[in-house]
Amino acid sequence: VSKEFSELLLRRTQADGVYHTSLGSADAAPIIGTIGLGAETNELFTDFTQGSFKNTDTKTDFALADKGFFAVYTPDGERYTRNGNFHLGTEGILLTKDGYPVQGENGAIYLEDDKFFVNQDGMIYTSKDNTLVDRIKIVRFDNERYLQKQGNSMWKTTQTSGEAYIAEGNERPRVMQGY
């Protein structure tokens, strides 16, 4: 968001509308016009409006169908992302593309293999025996507009954004696997 400084009216020096003569010529010193003084940045924020969904058919890709963020553990503490392009690490941990563990409500999400499915509430089940693994930790904020960006797709809380809280009920977005 930016705002403009007001414009100035430019006139030539000694521009009082009076003819000045100099060696036989006359000049009325006209008004030149207006000039803007530029703009200043008033505020920077990200518009978190829902975008379109792209089907990837990859089991480790997830989209949130409404407001909300995935919780991710980083060396700097918990951070938040809407980028659901995840992969399975060598130890079976669900990771972001940057290698940070995606958080379930019980900590990092451990999966034996890519044979799992996730329902719209974010519950992760194994495909072979329908065992509940965990529930993806999806959080909301009192004022997400004031989250502070970190890196390419991570966000951290600020005093103005408020602390993260687990999204429940009508505030919880649908989780879409393979998008």
Side-chain angles (χ1 to χ4, degrees):
V1 177
S2 62
K3 64 180 178 182
E4 287 186 17
F5 291 107
S6 56
E7 294 181 339
L8 282 182
L9 181 64
L10 293 182
R11 295 175 180 249
R12 290 176 55 184
T13 56
Q14 300 176 346
D16 54 7
V18 177
Y19 280 99
H20 298 278
T21 56
S22 171
L23 300 172
S25 65
D27 187 9
I31 294 173
I32 296 172
T34 59
I35 186 170
L37 294 177
E40 72 171 333
T41 301
N42 196 30
E43 179 181 8
L44 291 175
F45 72 94
T46 299
D47 182 359
F48 291 112
T49 303
Q50 180 67 56
S52 60
F53 296 107
K54 180 180 178 187
N55 188 342
T56 65
D57 288 325
T58 303
K59 288 186 176 247
T60 56
D61 286 346
F62 302 101
L64 297 176
D66 205 351
K67 293 181 179 183
F69 293 82
F70 298 104
V72 176
Y73 184 77
T74 72
D76 297 322
E78 194 168 80
R79 296 297 184 257
Y80 311 97
T81 185
R82 285 192 55 84
N83 182 353
N85 184 229
F86 305 135
H87 70 278
L88 273 180
T90 55
E91 297 174 355
I93 301 173
L94 189 63
L95 302 171
T96 66
K97 292 297 178 187
D98 296 324
Y100 300 126
V102 178
Q103 298 296 290
E105 292 183 0
N106 297 315
I109 299 171
Y110 292 92
L111 298 162
E112 291 180 21
D113 53 34
D114 65 350
K115 311 264 187 302
F116 68 95
F117 67 94
V118 177
N119 70 13
Q120 290 188 352
D121 193 40
M123 306 293 267
I124 304 169
Y125 297 93
T126 60
S127 292
K128 66 180 175 185
D129 59 3
N130 271 359
T131 304
L132 176 64
V133 175
D134 203 346
R135 183 180 184 210
I136 298 173
K137 184 175 181 182
I138 299 172
V139 298
R140 297 280 306 268
F141 302 91
D142 290 333
N143 199 346
E144 66 190 25
R145 177 177 177 158
Y146 295 104
L147 290 170
Q148 183 179 353
K149 187 168 175 111
Q150 282 197 313
N152 293 329
S153 64
M154 296 287 186
W155 303 90
K156 76 175 193 173
T157 58
T158 63
Q159 187 174 4
T160 311
S161 72
E163 291 300 314
Y165 60 90
I166 294 178
E168 295 291 353
N170 291 336
E171 280 195 326
R172 189 168 180 89
R174 287 180 304 134
V175 177
M176 299 173 62
Q177 186 176 16
Y179 289 86

